[in-house]
Amino acid sequence: MHSPSAPAAQRPLSTLSFHNPAGLYDPRPNGYSHVAVARLPARIVHIAGQGGEDAEGRLADGFDAQVRQALANLATALQAAGARPADVARLTALVVDHSQARLQAFSQALRALWGDAPTPACTLIPVPRLALDGMLFEIDATAYLPPEDAR
């Protein structure tokens, strides 16, 4: 693995830009953007689906706790690659027994993790089940970083 990329203050201009075009509803309250544009060349970081398991593989109790743990796992994986949430262009979220309440919980957790940074493009897919018994949520990500020689 390459060493982590330079801190945000030392990075060149962002590799990503986010857009919510006129004529489409405002997705920001739900924690995402309609369009993410990555300027190349870039280093592409793919983060596998992260669920609500802790480092010992124990699944958190309940949907909200699994979302919080999965997003913490996502942040850990991003950090290991030298990335941060603001470097993520695209998310895919899988939700068992999807409902408006689950969408709201997920959206709030995303906005909390991203803070003031533009939120990535995101697709939420309702599913009947995930890999582990009792698993209710999973999220994967694609991030873009400046090339190694741009640091």
Side-chain angles (χ1 to χ4, degrees), residues 16 18 74-75 78-79 83-89 113-115 117-120 143:
L16 295 173
F18 299 92
L74 175 62
L78 287 167
Q79 184 177 20
R84 62 203 166 154
D87 297 317
V88 174
L113 179 59
W114 260 257
T119 47

Side-chain angles (χ1 to χ4, degrees), residues 61-136:
D61 290 330
F63 181 79
D64 291 1
Q66 286 189 28
V67 168
R68 285 190 304 274
Q69 181 66 55
L71 291 178
N73 294 345
L74 175 62
T76 298
L78 287 167
Q79 184 177 20
R84 62 203 166 154
D87 297 317
V88 174
R90 181 154 179 65
L91 297 168
T92 303
L94 306 173
V95 177
V96 174
D97 296 327
H98 175 61
S99 67
Q100 284 302 117
R102 288 189 172 184
L103 174 60
Q104 183 177 5
F106 170 53
S107 298
Q108 288 174 347
L110 271 183
R111 289 191 316 266
L113 179 59
W114 260 257
D116 292 334
T119 47
C122 181
T123 299
L124 186 151
I125 303 171
V127 296
R129 98 166 247 124
L130 292 165
L132 304 174
D133 289 340
M135 190 174 182
L136 302 172

Side-chain angles (χ1 to χ4, degrees), residues 11-39:
R11 284 191 183 165
L13 293 175
S14 176
T15 304
L16 295 173
S17 62
F18 299 92
H19 310 276
N20 291 306
L24 298 177
Y25 84 97
D26 183 0
R28 290 174 296 179
N30 289 327
Y32 72 97
S33 296
H34 284 294
V35 179
V37 177
R39 285 176 296 288

